[in-house]
Amino acid sequence: VALEGASFSECTADIDGGGMYVRKGGDVALESARFVECTSGSQAALYIDAVERLALTNSQFVDNIASQTPAALFFTSSVATSGSLLRNTTFFGNSAPGNITILAASPLTWDCPLGYWMPNVGQLFGDLSGCNRLCAEGHYGNASDHFTSDCSGPCWLGHFCPEGSVLPRKCPAGTHMPNRRAANVSDCFPCAPGQYQPESGQEECLPCAAGSFSPNVGSAACEACPKGGVCEDAGAASRLVWQPCPAGSFNPNRGSSSSAACELCPIGTASAAPGAEGSETCSPCDPGHFAATPGLSKCERCFAGSYQNDMGATGCRDCKKGSYCEPGASRPLPCEGGSYSDKTDLSAASQCTPAAPGHIAARGSTEQTACGAGSFARGTRNEVCELCVEGSYQGATGASECTDADPGHFATTGATQQTPCAKGSYAATAGLSKCERCEPGTTSGVGSSACSECAAGTYAANPGQGQCVPCPYPLGSERGAVICSFCQKDFYLLQSADPIEIFSSPTDYCKPCPPSAECSDNTALATIGVPAGYWRASPSSAVLTACRDFGGDRAGEARCAGNERGAKQASRRLEEAGSDEYCAPGFTGPECQLCAAENHYLVGGDECKECAPRAAVAGRIVALVMCVCAACGLAVWAYSMTKWRKERYIGRVLRFADRAVYWYVAIGLTAKTKVLFGFYQICTVLSSTYSARLPPKYTSWTDNLDNAVSIDWSGFFLPEQCLGYGERLVVSALSPVVLIALLMGTGIALRLHVWRTASPRPKLWAEAALGLLDLTPAGLVLIFCFVPSISASIFRAWSCQAYTVSPPDEPLRQVSYMRLDASVECGTDKHESITGLAIGFIVLWPAGSLVLFTSLLIACSKPLRAKSPNALTKATAFLHREYEKTWYWWEAVELARKLVLTGFVLLIPEKNAFLRLVVATLVCSCYAVVLAVVRPYKRVEDDVLAVATSLALLLLFLGTNWTTIFLGIEERSGTDDADAVLGFGSLNGIVDTMIVLVVFALVFFLIGAVVAARRVAKIPKFRLVSTTQPPELSIVLGLTWHLFNSHIWSTGQDAVKVIKGELQQLLPGIKIFLDVDDLEDIGALEEYIRRSQVILFFLSKGYFRSKNCLREIRSSLEMDKPIVLVQEADPAKGGATLQALRDECPEDLQPDIFEKGWTHTIYMRVEEYQRVSLKTIVEAVLLCSPNYVNQSSLQLCVPGEPESQPLAFAKDTMLWASPANAGAQVLAEEIATTFAGLIVSTAEAPGPATHMLLYLNEDSFVSDERLAEQVKQARKDKLKIVMAHENDPDLGGCLFSKFFETTPQELIADGLYKSLARSCFPGRHHPVSLALLAKDLGATPARSGSVASVSRLSASIAEHGSRLFLKISRRSSATATTAGDGSGGEATVSVDSVEPGCLGGGGAGACLTSAAALTADATAEAPWP
């Protein structure tokens, strides 16, 4: 019995139990019961007899009356001696004979507060508000179920327990309690004198240790022995045991227990008082006294011959040398002047030794000292030596006389030796005290008697110079010169001047020899030697230009003969001469690059040959163009021949081309090629456009590549010098126009050829426009490739090479020649005619191509933004396909950037060529920043590559800035100045640094692009297997939603909400109509259907009975909308079999819905299976979008999905499929065939198997009784069991709940189904089931592969499934599968009525047919694709 909140009021019983009577029952539990004014003719308001247990909590017994005792409660138990509980229950005003309130014949435990108790049997009297009996004194109660006064037991040792104690209380410190059951604190015994107890709750007291005493009773601690002495006895009760330390010692500590605690006064001190408490009583010894040992009471006096000058000494010091010490001396006394001592034991002054003759001894000397060189002394006891007089010297020591100086030398007072005359001076006689100076212009050596002239290259302007001074840098002089007046070797004289002016400002007149030039002594500007391989524009110029080789081996040295004779001339006059004087015979022009003979051109850089006739060259060019066009046409025709791919030789080439195209598309090489090609196009114009003078080893290969891709058709057969630049410009600019026009004409001609045979014929202009669009992509590619190089050629009409003709100290004057035609001097009429022609071609190519690209992109703007592609957007895809839709116009920006960097900067005059570099650097900086911010490309690696190449270009232009500045400083000042300004000593150092930085930037960003691409590839989104990229969503112009969700609210709302959310995450940008989000007017359902591209019917119970759903169905069919059928198969969620759902459908709609081949899938809730269903929906939506309407199927994948992972078993794994488990062997072999490394055993016993496969269908544990025993034994042997739940009704699939009916209860109770069983679904969900089962068996990813390799794995799964199909007896006749009982899988219906097209009338829906599902079901025996 269990009652809660029961109330028994004014109840009456003639016998027992006025309110309630229970007898011979089980457990009785009353919660919050009230028994008020109940009357019993016998016993108790609540009578409980012979039950098992009673629980009475939070109840009340008020004013109850009984004729016999007790008044309120009577209780007996039939079986339990404990377990009955009375908690928080009150008894007031109850009446019975003897005032007995409760009678418990069996134990009834009260839930008492801690420290209380109540009897659990017997009688209780009067009013009771709970437990009212305290635990007895000397006892404690720390539980709530005490029923005696002893409660939890007697009080502990060292503790006391007053009445009602919950826990024992500790006796205080200074007391102890050796007995139990102490009731009060007064019962605790105090400690006796000589004892103590510092802790509370202890049984015994502790004796005081030696060094302490306790004079009082009940001490918690002992007193420490006083300072200055010790207490050696333990347990002392008085301080009379204290003994003082002896004299010479002290004790600063209290509580000492041994005489060893008395510390001795340290050495050097003494103390006479006993019982000292500190070291301050130890006084240091006075000077002249010492204490060598510790613990002395008096210091000793120093002995004779020793002393001590310090306080607190431990010994005396030996007397110092040169001194004597009396007894008790505090310091040594020095020997008197003229005496000395080298001993340390003298005690009187008389013991010092007198100094010998010829020596001196100062006061306190330890030895006598001989007089030094240059001095002398006579007699004994001398203290000071005398110096030699002027003109004499003494080199020995201890001498009594000085020697006179020899001739040619001089000596001063106190000299130790005679000194020779210094450089620039001389002395004619001996005994002199000084030397005379040499005359100006001469010099002398040390000790010379005469002076000599200065050598050549030096000078001496002042008298008495010790040496001739080298000429100031960079001047030279003749022998005996007093001034330097001409320039030395490696310098030249800039202009003639007075020698004094030249000497005063040598660097203003003498300039460093130009790089690579030769300058001997006394060389002038006009006489500078120009070596072979160099050329200068004028003898008045100091700039030498290295002659380029133009492809030859040291051809520049052969053409430019130089002018070595200039180095041998000494003239300082400036001589004007023509620049051709530096050229070898037969060559002329700047850098001698022109042939002197007419109609000749340069070959190999050092040879001139006659030009060929122009007519023959023109014929060759036309023949070459025709051959190239024919070759391209043949290649396209051969590639279109599908059957040729099976041929032996050409088939290999075509298959290789297929793979190349596949990888080209998959990797997205179009954008990468465009980025890198644009980078290359800009790099190759550094020299020609920006006048960058880089070392040939860095520019030769770029020049060769530039020539290879430049569109100068005449240059293939006719050298550049044979055709003027104006004529070459016409050919270069117009030949691509002719080629593109020919291409467009070919497209129109092909269309018109088909148009002639068409019936009925479309409009001629429309067909011609389509023909134009057919080859527009090829034309755009040609324009993309041609426009930078052609534009560069056009703008190079303003590209001139400047040569300096002015002296270094005058304003810069230069002469310029065209870089591409050195015969044309810039600024002349001939050059003006070329630039006029170039201006016209600027309108055609740079400006025209930019306008063309911009116009096409503007025309594509609306359909691209609406994601509704048309023929124009497809034809111009080359311009916008690689960019995000927001930045579809970026190709025009990229073209403008390339045109600015390769051409338009040439409009800046050549004299301001450095400004071109500044502009290019700013453009690259801004473009790199904008690229990093907007990220216009679809692929993240393309964005990274674009930023990387932009930064690399920025570094290249910065490096070119440095080289230009370096060369400018070098030409104006010298290499040393360039090194000091830029920190580079050579041009190669700058270029090498630039290349290293560029390579580092490219490698760094390349690694970043790979990492970014790998990260993006792992984001769970739908991707095309062919490209590994998300598909491009598009929609027919005029429509709003890609997908319309038609469902019934009661059974489909949650599912379609999930479908919409998952699709928006996995396919960003998809627009899906859902009533709760988009429905504004229920009357406009038909309009919503019209504005949707694909309609999804979510089939669940009641769907076909909904009026609004039928409106949506009929509207979709009337408008020929493509349909996707999604079936809810879970009966618990409103699902049903396909047949049951068809039965609900009106008969007139059944053929159009269930017999038209619409794509059909089952809605799954497990993520791995759900994504397969979502892929089916997305494939159907994409196949009806304009971008993919012409395709029959699309292979999609999601990164990380199980079926796309190439799994394999890394370690030996053996799977046991029991013969008693029907279907297990086939499934095990299917897994082993699909995933490498798995071994299948079908023996009667598991043997060495590592896993057991338990295949669960409706026949499991029913068809063969051995299976249950085998499963029991496997669990006993700890063999891991992997369970597979079949969901295909054709293979006995059933709901999992059925297994709880067919499985032996013993296995269920043992926890067989505590582990997860993997569901096995048919159709497109089947590979997921196989992959999950393989993972449960321990399979791991075999290797990291691409999405394409993953798709091949899925195909292999299907192929293996087809081969295994014949082994499954129950899978023999299905050509289409249906999810009959809601267990999962997919269903497809007859495809006989499907016709091409999905957006027009007729048989709509072919675009929605999934080739991966319908084709496999319709053509193969395997029931899954």
Side-chain angles (χ1 to χ4, degrees), residues 1153-1393:
I1153 296 176
F1154 295 97
E1155 297 178 9
K1156 284 295 184 70
W1158 302 120
T1159 296
H1160 169 266
T1161 188
I1162 303 297
Y1163 178 70
M1164 298 288 185
R1165 287 176 170 80
V1166 178
E1167 181 181 8
E1168 291 84 358
Y1169 301 104
Q1170 186 184 80
R1171 285 190 174 175
V1172 177
S1173 302
L1174 295 176
K1175 279 198 294 186
T1176 304
I1177 298 173
V1178 169
E1179 183 182 13
V1181 172
L1182 292 175
L1183 287 174
C1184 281
S1185 65
N1187 282 346
Y1188 304 102
V1189 69
N1190 294 326
Q1191 300 189 29
S1192 60
S1193 66
L1194 285 175
Q1195 285 185 307
L1196 300 173
C1197 67
V1198 178
E1201 60 185 8
E1203 68 271 26
S1204 298
Q1205 299 179 9
L1207 302 176
F1209 293 88
K1211 58 182 180 179
D1212 293 338
T1213 304
M1214 178 177 287
L1215 180 62
W1216 179 46
S1218 171
N1221 189 190
Q1225 178 179 351
V1226 175
L1227 181 59
E1229 291 180 356
E1230 186 177 0
I1231 298 173
T1233 304
T1234 306
F1235 305 102
L1238 180 64
I1239 303 172
V1240 177
S1241 172
T1242 58
E1244 292 294 334
T1250 58
H1251 297 75
M1252 176 183 180
L1253 178 63
L1254 179 57
Y1255 180 73
L1256 301 175
N1257 62 3
E1258 61 184 2
D1259 296 329
S1260 300
F1261 298 108
V1262 177
S1263 60
D1264 197 327
E1265 297 179 354
R1266 295 178 299 165
L1267 179 60
E1269 296 300 326
Q1270 291 173 346
V1271 173
K1272 293 178 185 178
Q1273 187 63 38
R1275 291 178 62 81
K1276 181 178 179 182
D1277 296 339
K1278 305 297 183 181
L1279 181 63
K1280 185 175 182 180
I1281 299 176
V1282 177
M1283 295 180 289
H1285 172 210
E1286 181 60 69
N1287 283 262
D1288 188 353
D1290 293 339
L1291 299 177
C1294 61
L1295 296 176
F1296 196 83
S1297 58
K1298 181 176 179 60
F1299 300 134
F1300 288 93
E1301 302 174 3
T1302 60
T1303 305
Q1305 292 301 313
E1306 182 180 354
L1307 287 176
I1308 297 176
D1310 191 38
L1312 174 64
Y1313 293 134
K1314 287 183 178 180
S1315 299
L1316 181 67
R1318 290 296 182 186
S1319 298
C1320 288
F1321 294 108
R1324 299 183 72 177
H1325 298 88
H1326 191 66
V1328 180
S1329 301
L1330 294 180
L1332 294 177
L1333 284 171
K1335 285 189 173 183
D1336 291 342
L1337 292 170
T1340 57
R1343 60 181 177 84
S1344 59
S1346 64
V1347 178
S1349 67
V1350 171
S1351 68
R1352 291 194 294 270
L1353 174 62
S1354 299
S1356 69
I1357 293 177
E1359 181 181 354
H1360 295 156
S1362 299
R1363 292 201 297 264
L1364 287 172
F1365 169 77
L1366 298 177
K1367 301 181 181 180
I1368 307 175
S1369 60
R1370 303 183 63 180
R1371 299 182 183 181
S1372 59
S1373 60
T1375 57
T1377 62
T1378 59
D1381 64 346
S1383 58
E1386 295 182 359
T1388 58
V1389 292
S1390 173
V1391 297
D1392 294 338
S1393 60

Side-chain angles (χ1 to χ4, degrees), residues 493-498 501-502 509 524 571-574:
L493 184 65
L494 181 62
Q495 60 184 5
S496 299
D498 185 78
E501 293 183 6
I502 296 175
Y509 290 91
S571 173
R572 299 183 181 179
R573 296 179 300 103
L574 295 177

Side-chain angles (χ1 to χ4, degrees), residues 227-253:
K227 299 179 180 180
V230 298
C231 299
E232 296 182 344
D233 298 331
S238 172
R239 65 178 294 170
L240 297 178
V241 296
W242 181 79
Q243 299 176 1
C245 292
S249 64
F250 64 92
N251 186 0
N253 302 316

Side-chain angles (χ1 to χ4, degrees), residues 920-935:
T921 304
L922 292 176
V923 170
C924 289
S925 303
C926 297
Y927 189 75
V929 172
V930 173
L931 262 181
V933 172
V934 304
R935 292 176 290 181

Side-chain angles (χ1 to χ4, degrees), residues 508-551:
D508 291 342
Y509 290 91
C510 293
K511 299 298 180 181
C513 197
S516 304
E518 296 181 2
C519 299
S520 59
D521 287 338
N522 207 6
T523 298
L525 176 62
T527 60
I528 290 176
V530 179
Y534 288 86
W535 176 87
R536 64 172 174 169
S538 169
S540 61
S541 172
V543 179
L544 272 64
T545 303
C547 296
R548 290 168 286 180
D549 291 334
F550 296 111

Side-chain angles (χ1 to χ4, degrees), residues 450-704:
C451 299
S452 58
E453 291 183 342
C454 292
T458 63
Y459 74 99
N462 302 313
Q465 288 190 198
Q467 61 181 9
C468 296
V469 180
C471 288
Y473 183 84
L475 296 177
S477 67
E478 298 176 352
R479 179 178 177 83
V482 296
I483 192 172
C484 301
S485 59
F486 60 80
C487 299
Q488 62 177 310
K489 184 180 180 181
D490 296 330
F491 287 85
Y492 69 93
L493 184 65
L494 181 62
Q495 60 184 5
S496 299
D498 185 78
I500 295 178
E501 293 183 6
I502 296 175
F503 182 82
S504 300
S505 303
T507 56
D508 291 342
Y509 290 91
C510 293
K511 299 298 180 181
C513 197
S516 304
E518 296 181 2
C519 299
S520 59
D521 287 338
N522 207 6
T523 298
L525 176 62
T527 60
I528 290 176
V530 179
Y534 288 86
W535 176 87
R536 64 172 174 169
S538 169
S540 61
S541 172
V543 179
L544 272 64
T545 303
C547 296
R548 290 168 286 180
D549 291 334
F550 296 111
D553 184 14
R554 304 183 67 177
E557 296 183 10
R559 295 195 322 275
C560 300
N563 185 16
E564 300 287 353
R565 64 185 181 277
K568 300 177 182 179
Q569 296 178 357
S571 173
R572 299 183 181 179
R573 296 179 300 103
L574 295 177
E575 299 177 359
E576 294 294 334
S579 60
D580 287 344
E581 68 173 303
Y582 306 109
C583 297
F587 299 97
T588 186
E591 300 182 39
C592 307
Q593 59 182 295
L594 299 176
C595 294
E598 293 185 0
N599 200 28
H600 282 68
Y601 66 96
L602 193 64
V603 180
D606 58 358
E607 182 183 359
C608 289
K609 290 186 178 181
E610 188 175 1
C611 299
R614 297 185 179 182
V617 172
R620 295 174 188 172
I621 294 176
V622 173
L624 175 64
V625 172
M626 295 181 65
C627 290
V628 170
C629 294
C632 293
L634 289 174
V636 172
W637 176 71
Y639 188 76
S640 65
M641 302 300 291
T642 305
K643 61 182 179 179
W644 283 9
R645 282 161 174 77
K646 298 180 181 179
E647 299 295 332
R648 182 175 181 181
Y649 296 107
I650 193 172
R652 294 180 180 177
V653 177
L654 294 177
R655 290 192 298 272
F656 175 79
D658 289 338
R659 288 192 296 270
V661 170
Y662 169 80
W663 284 109
Y664 182 90
V665 175
I667 300 175
L669 280 181
T670 299
K672 299 172 180 61
T673 303
K674 289 165 69 175
V675 170
L676 293 176
F677 189 65
F679 173 73
Y680 160 77
Q681 288 174 325
I682 298 173
C683 289
T684 55
V685 299
L686 286 176
S687 298
S688 58
T689 301
Y690 296 94
S691 303
R693 287 178 286 173
L694 303 176
K697 65 178 181 179
Y698 302 109
T699 58
S700 58
W701 64 274
T702 56
D703 291 340
N704 293 334

